[in-house]
Amino acid sequence: MVIVAICLGLRRSELAGLKWSDFDWLNQEVLVQRSVIANRVDAVKTKRSKARLPLDPALIEVLQKWRSLSDFKADDDWVWASPWVAGAMPLYTNAIQRDYLIPAGQRAGFGKIGWHTLRHTYRSWLDQTKRHDGAERPDAPRGHQDHDERIRQGHG
């Protein structure tokens, strides 16, 4: 889940809203078309958020490996289906942040990180590598130059 968040620059709600049917493996892209916040399925935050994003072959490999390990592999299943509700809803991203992301960031010496940090990490990578060749999300976050600045401003 973290790898996908970093590689695609998705909001936590968009990450939770992914279903296997959103992926076009042949054309190596994903359609971001829904969000899930507090177990409520809705549209994405902005018109620009609804987009087809390119998928790197290495990311496709990670996703297909995850699908093979998941109990919820049908096209209509959530990519991050929650086993606690028999796959009826995705995992709760706030709990994942609290229980895994923040502690892992602190153990690694990065401080308090969260989903939003990963989204800005993606944008920083785009800026540093000048990867503005159509591969960027049209609504990728702007304005925070680096991870340290994100932490100083209390965004995690």
Side-chain angles (χ1 to χ4, degrees), residues 65-78:
K65 178 67 174 177
W66 172 248
R67 190 175 191 178
S68 75
L69 297 171
S70 175
D71 291 334
F72 308 99
K73 346 174 173 267
D75 283 345
D76 201 41
D77 285 338
W78 301 104

Side-chain angles (χ1 to χ4, degrees), residues 7-8 28 54-61:
C7 290
L8 297 179
Q28 298 182 331
L55 297 171
D56 186 88
L59 183 58
I60 289 173
E61 189 175 327

